[in-house]
Amino acid sequence: MAVILHGMTNMDGMDENILRELERDGRLTNLQLSERVGLSPSATSRRVSELERRGVIRGYRAIIDRSQIGQGFTAYIAVGLSVHNKAAQKGFEAAMRYAPEVKECHNIAGVFEYLLRVETADLTAYKRFHTEVLGTVPEVASITSYIVMESPKDLRA
């Protein structure tokens, strides 16, 4: 049975199984993947190629232990803009695109316009980012920080 997701992508249960397995381990060989989903290697390869071609699978990446590379401090930041127009959004987004500490930037609905995930070495480095980077962006009116103390569930890790 095919599933249509938002009118964009026809997927069936086998495609969903392939995606689930690749999400768990993107380094699976085609043979390992085919064994896990119960398809022949050639059929599995065709399906993966088609999912890549259609943009359902956008890429593969390594999951890095950030504490091992000096980025073990994580904060989520709610940002309110001073002006609520497209130009202010574009200006803020451009500034965040060039800030290496910002790992995610989401335009959200609610009290704030943006939610950021920021990773730095420690609280001192975060304070520097908060003051010298985020605090200097002219479109920013408010900054509310949420410091991560522990992550009992994180599918990115």
Side-chain angles (χ1 to χ4, degrees):
M1 175 171 151
V3 177
I4 299 177
L5 301 175
H6 307 291
M8 296 173 48
T9 307
N10 286 329
M11 289 190 9
D12 61 16
M14 189 56 65
D15 288 334
E16 291 172 3
N17 289 342
I18 288 170
L19 293 174
R20 192 174 309 108
E21 292 299 329
L22 287 174
E23 216 171 23
R24 283 187 195 129
D25 184 357
R27 292 188 61 152
L28 288 173
T29 66
N30 186 61
L31 180 59
Q32 291 169 321
L33 180 59
S34 68
E35 289 170 353
R36 289 190 185 184
V37 299
L39 274 181
S40 71
S42 60
T44 302
S45 180
R46 278 193 303 275
R47 282 179 179 258
V48 169
S49 293
E50 181 62 13
L51 290 166
E52 290 170 343
R53 186 192 68 74
R54 292 182 1 216
V56 176
I57 297 174
R58 295 184 356 195
Y60 303 86
R61 60 186 67 156
I63 299 170
I64 299 165
D65 181 344
R66 295 286 174 197
S67 65
Q68 296 287 329
I69 61 167
Q71 294 179 350
F73 183 90
T74 303
Y76 286 86
I77 306 167
V79 177
L81 299 185
S82 55
V83 180
H84 305 283
N85 62 35
K86 196 66 167 173
Q89 286 182 328
K90 293 297 179 194
F92 176 77
E93 290 170 8
M96 295 305 97
R97 194 171 298 115
Y98 295 108
E101 300 89 349
V102 177
K103 304 305 180 189
E104 295 178 22
C105 176
H106 305 278
N107 182 223
I108 59 173
V111 176
F112 301 102
E113 283 77 33
Y114 288 90
L115 182 64
L116 308 177
R117 180 171 58 86
V118 171
E119 294 175 347
T120 63
D122 53 26
L123 184 58
T124 302
Y126 174 71
K127 184 178 187 307
R128 186 205 56 76
F129 166 78
H130 184 282
T131 305
E132 297 176 17
V133 177
L134 199 54
T136 65
V137 177
E139 295 84 5
V140 172
S142 66
I143 302 169
T144 305
S145 300
Y146 301 92
I147 307 304
V148 175
M149 297 188 311
E150 184 179 15
S151 299
K153 180 176 182 180
D154 184 346
L155 296 179
R156 293 173 294 115

